[in-house]
Amino acid sequence: MRKKLIGLLAIGAVAVLSLTACTSGGGNNNKSGSNTDYSAKPSGTLTSWSFNNADDVGKARLAYAAAQLKGVTIKIDGTPFDAQKFTTRLASGNVPDIVQLDRTSVTQYAAQGLIQPLDKCFSARKINPDKRWYPYVVDDVRYKGQIWATPQFYQPPAILVNVKVMKAAGVTEDQINTSKPDELITAIQKMYKASGGNPSTLGLDPNVPGNIGLWILGMGGQLNDSNGKPTLDNPKNVAGLDLLKKIMDAQGGYAKVESFTGSFNSFGNNNQFVENQVGSQVDAQWYPNVISPYLDKIDVRAVPFMASNGKPFSVASGTSFAIPKGAKNPVAACAWMDEITNYDSWIAAEKARVATLAKNHGINTGLFTGSPQADQAIRKQYVKPSGNSDFDQVIQTYYKVLDYGKTFGSSPAGQTINQELSNAMTAVLLGQKSATDALKSAQAASLRAYNSAVKGG
């Protein structure tokens, strides 16, 4: 269900973004922010459409930013971002000063003139983007030499291994190596179990389509070029799809694997590690927090996802804050985005998390903020041995792969590229098309979206 929901959200975003290409500029007072004096003292009322269902970390950051902007009245719209609603608000001129977006959407809005570049904001606030954030995180929101949003979070993927399943099958950690397909497939087959012709234990859950970009880029592929133009028909993209098909075919086929993973109680007491339904699984850094309460029932370790060149590999992903075209208080918006993503804000957030963990007797896996200075300080001061050596190894593995990040690529057709790549993957894994043919179709659709975006509809 979780994977299907991700796909449906992407489809909805693509449809709405296609409409906005032809409606940009309507009714939004044509304020680009180009003449804004970002060095002015923030004042007035600030409206921010962000922080849906804020947790302890989010609430601490909001409180910190508010304390720094005492002359500003801050109003938070904490409802989930909705692309159609955003389009309607842009057309009416009733836009928030800040909107929180997935980073894959940022360049698409930037190309359509619906959000403002932030370089002057950064200059006024003395922010060096490539020092505050990991460069590959900033590259997600960099387009035509300008930066269009302030990133937050970078929670890299790695592979969690179920020690019990692995040992029972006679598999070792070094065999869970995505850079050695033949060895990997053998290990998967050893751990795989079926009941009544259907999977009961997967050797490896690649966790797609959510991680499809990881598999394509990690195997040497490319989603778009330096100008944002789609490159899905690049022959190097075939390797990732072919490896995924081998993984699925070794475990009963994609349809059966998808049906099985859709039944996982991923956030519950009977999750896939407790139930030994996976021998290994690709997971983002946040997922160890989910399974940490069950360490009396499970034994997990982690290995990096390995690129085709044999080196650890990761991809950057997460959300960001942007200033819409027509924002009424861009000066306060700039200041708030600075305060909500700076070092002190993240330290305040980590202190709040430490208090929560102490109350709930939880394990501190760290905060993965998107900012290297904050990540390093939090790890050094707050991430301590948990008493479970294998779980400590999981935490340290995720910290190590932070250094191996790569941007998905910034493209005016970013959402379309993601959706078309997912469609191509499904066709290949179900045996409906060859990887080359599926990618050719995906490229054609993505290129249409790209041309529409850069030409303004």
Side-chain angles (χ1 to χ4, degrees):
M1 180 65 185
R2 171 171 53 91
K3 297 177 183 177
K4 292 180 180 178
L5 178 59
I6 292 171
L8 289 172
L9 290 172
I11 292 170
V14 171
V16 173
L17 286 167
S18 298
L19 289 173
T20 62
C22 298
T23 60
S24 61
N28 58 13
N29 299 323
N30 197 31
K31 295 179 181 179
S32 67
S34 59
N35 297 320
T36 300
D37 180 8
Y38 288 108
S39 63
K41 183 178 179 179
S43 62
T45 298
L46 171 70
T47 58
S48 179
W49 189 5
S50 58
F51 284 93
N52 172 43
N53 196 28
D55 60 4
D56 53 347
V57 168
K59 291 175 181 177
R61 293 170 64 206
L62 285 168
Y64 172 84
Q68 310 312 307
L69 302 175
K70 294 185 182 298
V72 179
T73 300
I74 302 171
K75 296 182 178 180
I76 302 294
D77 177 354
T79 59
F81 176 78
D82 180 272
Q84 182 65 63
K85 182 179 177 182
F86 184 46
T87 303
T88 301
R89 294 181 70 170
L90 283 166
S92 68
N94 181 28
V95 297
D97 298 305
I98 296 164
V99 63
Q100 183 174 329
L101 297 168
D102 189 273
R103 294 202 290 268
T104 58
S105 301
V106 169
T107 303
Q108 205 149 354
Y109 283 116
Q112 296 163 7
L114 302 181
I115 57 176
Q116 302 178 22
L118 299 181
D119 297 79
K120 290 184 178 180
C121 163
F122 292 150
S123 178
R125 303 290 296 185
K126 295 181 172 56
I127 298 171
N128 183 330
D130 288 315
K131 288 188 176 179
R132 174 168 292 192
W133 299 286
Y134 297 96
Y136 33 86
V137 169
V138 179
D139 285 345
D140 283 348
V141 294
R142 196 191 307 266
Y143 178 61
K144 289 191 173 181
Q146 294 182 298
I147 299 172
W148 299 82
T150 55
Q152 62 167 358
F153 297 113
Y154 161 39
Q155 296 171 309
I159 303 176
L160 292 177
V161 296
N162 186 332
V163 175
K164 181 179 179 180
V165 172
M166 187 176 63
K167 284 185 175 180
V171 173
T172 56
E173 285 180 24
D174 61 296
Q175 294 173 310
I176 312 300
N177 187 335
T178 47
S179 70
K180 298 180 178 179
D182 291 342
E183 189 173 296
L184 176 66
I185 296 300
T186 298
I188 289 171
Q189 289 172 329
K190 287 182 178 180
M191 290 186 285
Y192 175 70
K193 293 181 180 179
S195 176
N198 295 309
S200 57
T201 298
L202 296 179
L204 170 64
D205 175 12
N207 217 335
V208 291
N211 286 297
I212 180 60
L214 172 71
W215 289 92
I216 297 296
L217 296 173
M219 295 302 108
Q222 181 192 52
L223 304 185
N224 55 264
D225 65 17
S226 59
N227 295 318
K229 186 176 181 179
T231 57
L232 293 183
D233 58 350
N234 187 320
K236 293 183 178 180
N237 291 336
V238 170
L241 289 181
D242 282 350
L243 177 54
L244 282 171
K245 189 167 192 329
K246 290 178 181 178
I247 290 170
M248 296 299 183
D249 288 350
Q251 304 179 100
Y254 180 56
K256 290 184 178 181
V257 171
E258 275 292 277
S259 178
F260 182 51
T261 58
S263 70
F264 287 173
N265 184 22
S266 297
F267 299 93
N269 296 334
N270 299 315
N271 64 71
Q272 63 272 23
F273 286 93
V274 170
E275 295 296 313
N276 293 315
Q277 294 170 313
V278 293
S280 59
Q281 182 179 56
V282 176
D283 284 297
Q285 181 274 335
W286 57 264
Y287 193 67
N289 291 286
V290 174
I291 60 175
S292 63
Y294 309 103
L295 293 182
D296 59 333
K297 300 178 180 179
I298 63 176
D299 187 2
V300 293
R301 288 175 62 84
V303 296
F305 186 97
M306 306 296 281
S308 56
N309 61 8
K311 297 180 180 180
F313 182 83
S314 179
V315 286
S317 61
T319 58
S320 59
F321 302 106
I323 301 178
K325 186 177 181 181
K328 297 176 178 63
N329 197 346
V331 171
C334 170
W336 185 88
M337 290 194 300
D338 175 10
E339 299 295 353
I340 208 79
T341 63
N342 67 21
Y343 174 85
D344 290 333
S345 173
W346 286 116
I347 296 302
E350 175 61 18
K351 289 179 178 178
R353 176 54 53 87
V354 168
T356 299
L357 291 170
K359 180 180 179 180
N360 299 330
H361 307 288
I363 297 173
N364 195 335
T365 63
L367 284 181
F368 285 60
T369 68
S371 301
Q373 182 188 15
D375 284 350
Q376 292 161 13
I378 289 169
R379 179 185 186 185
K380 182 177 181 180
Q381 186 172 353
Y382 297 103
V383 180
K384 306 299 182 182
S386 68
N388 183 309
S389 60
D390 280 348
F391 196 71
D392 288 342
Q393 185 270 346
V394 169
I395 296 171
Q396 298 310 317
T397 297
Y398 278 100
Y399 267 108
K400 288 178 182 177
V401 299
L402 276 173
D403 295 332
Y404 299 100
K406 183 176 180 179
T407 178
F408 276 102
S410 173
S411 172
Q415 287 282 4
T416 306
I417 288 172
N418 290 341
Q419 185 57 44
E420 290 301 326
L421 182 59
S422 178
N423 292 342
M425 180 207 74
T426 300
V428 172
L429 299 189
L430 290 176
Q432 297 169 345
K433 290 184 179 181
S434 68
T436 299
D437 288 344
L439 289 168
K440 183 178 179 180
S441 298
Q443 172 67 7
S446 298
L447 191 58
R448 286 194 296 271
Y450 172 81
N451 288 335
S452 176
V454 297
K455 292 177 182 177

